[in-house]
Amino acid sequence: MYSPMTDPVIPNLPSSPEELQQAFNLFNQVSEQLTGAYMDLQKEVEQLTSALEVTNHELRRQLEEKENLSQRLRRLLAALPGGVVVLDAAGQVDEANPAALALLRALPAGEAWQAVCAREFRPTSVPGEWLLADDRRVAISSSRMGEQGGEILLLQDVTEAYRLQEQLQLHKRLSSMGEMVAGLAHQLRTPLAAALLYTSHLRGELATEDRERFADKALARLHSLERLIKDMLVFVRGGKGEQERIAVAALVADVQHVMEPQMAQHGLQFAVADRSMGASLLGSRQALSGALLNLLANAMQACNKGGQVTLTVEMDGSAWLVCRVQDTGRGIPQQVQERLFEPFFTTRTDGTGLGLAIVREVTQMHGGEVAVNSAEGKGSEFVLRLPLATKNNP
């Protein structure tokens, strides 16, 4: 019985010298091929080793350059006077330089930037600028970091620049008032003299109806003085007031309530179109209301009986509110339009020349702009563009 352990199979071996010679020659052939293949393989290994050394050297050089660049960037970020905050793709704080840490009370890595904003910032009436808890003013700009996601925020403390700008505007307003002292003195003297005259008549023997008539005239002149002084104070302050969030619909309703009786008294049609869609402004409600009332009062005085004044409030995208005051009045000559917003410039004998100057100051203080479109005989349109109140999220 066959057993692999006891009866191994022995391959056929060459039985003649010729077969041995053939086998030997075949072995030599294979050996030479193996030797050649080994040498070729050794050459390839040497080439790959050399290429790998070059590659490793290049990688080390690039790594050193990147490390040096990284160190330079860190030093640069540390030396920058402005704050830099790096956010990852999820909007969380990834890194911040010392200037950013000095501006904000706390800026832990991994915290959501929205949470930082809700804790640290209060909105202002100027787009892109925010107030910190200590009333420092910070301008924030951002830049996306491309395909990898994330964002870089630049925080700049503009408190001093803002203060200097306010002082410059104040000096300009005071300079304008100084240049017009003579005209202002005349404007004050005229209603004051009339009030004194009417009051002096009250001392004489007058009938009751005459006494009431002179008293009403004296009060009217005194009210005119009060209005002029109030306009002067608003102009000097630059339209500033307490900052609050203002519902546009409520502001329009207030203005409409004040102007409707006056328009009716002048025999004018007054139309209001509120398309603010629940929007809000940030600023002084009293100053903004005064600016709109000034524009509407001017439109009313420009129209003859039977004319029409329209107030339209609408959105311009998601960032701006547009207020249009249109009238069917006599229009404004081009040469007058160029000076409309100058302080104390007026074409009315009873005007102070401060109404439109105040409108411009109030609009600019709220980060907006004002423009006029008018043609003689075709009416006028005044357009206010104001930035909408944004969420507390720079």
Side-chain angles (χ1 to χ4, degrees):
M1 184 176 180
Y2 170 74
S3 173
M5 298 299 295
T6 57
D7 299 321
V9 177
I10 301 175
N12 293 329
L13 297 175
S15 59
S16 65
E18 291 79 6
E19 290 178 350
L20 285 172
Q21 184 63 41
Q22 288 178 357
F24 182 73
N25 290 339
L26 182 60
F27 177 78
N28 284 339
Q29 239 176 357
V30 173
S31 178
E32 288 176 0
Q33 290 176 356
L34 288 173
T35 302
Y38 175 76
M39 294 178 66
D40 291 341
L41 183 60
Q42 191 174 21
K43 288 180 181 179
E44 290 183 8
V45 170
E46 290 175 354
Q47 291 175 355
L48 288 173
T49 302
S50 177
L52 185 60
E53 289 179 356
V54 172
T55 302
N56 286 339
H57 177 74
E58 180 64 19
L59 288 174
R60 283 195 298 270
R61 185 186 65 80
Q62 292 179 3
L63 184 61
E64 289 176 358
E65 288 183 354
K66 289 181 178 179
E67 182 62 28
N68 291 335
L69 178 61
S70 178
Q71 291 180 2
R72 287 198 296 271
L73 288 175
R74 287 194 185 95
R75 289 195 294 268
L76 179 62
L77 283 175
L80 279 176
V84 177
V85 179
V86 180
L87 306 181
D88 60 19
Q92 296 177 335
V93 176
D94 184 41
E95 189 177 357
N97 72 338
L101 297 174
L103 278 173
L104 305 177
R105 292 173 295 178
L107 197 59
E111 184 178 11
W113 178 246
Q114 289 187 352
V116 176
C117 295
R119 183 182 66 246
E120 299 288 345
F121 296 108
R122 290 180 287 120
T124 70
S125 59
V126 180
E129 293 188 4
W130 305 81
L131 286 175
L132 296 173
D134 57 1
D135 289 332
R136 283 180 297 169
R137 183 174 286 255
V138 178
I140 302 178
S141 57
S142 63
S143 177
R144 305 295 300 180
M145 290 199 298
E147 296 180 357
Q148 69 271 29
E151 196 172 0
I152 296 178
L153 304 176
L154 179 62
L155 286 66
Q156 188 69 35
D157 188 342
V158 295
T159 308
E160 185 63 19
Y162 184 77
R163 186 184 65 80
L164 292 175
Q165 186 180 21
E166 280 191 317
Q167 288 184 352
L168 178 61
Q169 293 297 328
L170 175 60
H171 291 161
K172 287 182 178 179
R173 291 191 293 272
L174 291 176
S175 176
S176 298
M177 291 192 70
E179 292 172 1
M180 300 301 298
V181 165
L184 185 61
H186 173 73
Q187 291 175 2
L188 289 170
R189 186 171 60 247
T190 301
L192 181 60
L196 290 172
L197 176 63
Y198 295 138
T199 305
S200 66
H201 287 317
L202 296 176
R203 299 182 62 184
E205 296 182 359
L206 296 173
T208 302
E209 60 273 13
D210 290 334
R211 187 179 297 276
E212 291 178 353
R213 179 166 56 88
F214 283 124
D216 289 341
K217 289 184 176 182
L219 281 174
R221 294 300 89 195
L222 291 174
H223 284 315
S224 177
L225 276 174
E226 180 187 32
R227 188 165 54 252
L228 175 59
I229 293 171
K230 181 180 177 181
D231 285 348
M232 289 169 52
L233 291 175
V234 172
F235 178 71
V236 171
R237 289 197 301 263
K240 291 195 299 181
E242 183 179 354
Q243 297 286 298
E244 57 181 311
R245 186 173 288 269
I246 309 160
V248 175
L251 180 66
V252 172
D254 289 347
V255 171
Q256 184 177 3
H257 179 73
V258 172
M259 292 305 302
E260 271 184 342
Q262 299 183 42
M263 295 288 182
Q265 187 177 4
H266 282 75
L268 302 177
Q269 299 177 31
F270 182 41
V272 177
D274 180 9
R275 306 188 189 104
S276 59
M277 298 183 294
S280 298
L281 299 171
L282 190 69
S284 168
R285 181 168 183 162
Q286 182 180 4
L288 289 172
S289 175
L292 288 175
L293 289 173
N294 261 319
L295 291 179
L296 290 168
N298 284 351
M300 180 178 67
Q301 291 165 0
C303 291
N304 295 323
K305 188 175 182 179
Q308 180 170 346
V309 176
T310 304
L311 170 63
T312 305
V313 180
E314 57 192 358
M315 307 287 286
D316 182 7
S318 60
W320 294 90
L321 182 79
V322 179
C323 304
R324 304 179 190 275
V325 175
Q326 299 166 301
D327 66 65
T328 58
R330 53 187 173 272
I332 306 171
Q334 183 62 40
Q335 63 271 22
V336 174
Q337 291 183 40
E338 296 172 358
R339 301 190 59 192
L340 271 182
F341 299 101
E342 292 182 11
F344 305 105
F345 174 78
T346 181
T347 57
R348 302 202 317 264
T349 55
D350 60 340
T352 65
L354 285 175
L356 290 177
I358 290 173
V359 170
R360 183 178 63 177
E361 289 292 331
V362 169
T363 305
Q364 291 178 347
M365 286 301 299
H366 286 78
E369 55 189 21
V370 59
V372 59
N373 302 307
S374 183
E376 289 188 79
K378 296 183 179 180
S380 304
E381 177 189 52
F382 284 82
V383 182
L384 294 184
R385 294 185 77 249
L386 296 165
L388 293 170
T390 56
K391 295 180 181 179
N392 195 12
N393 181 20

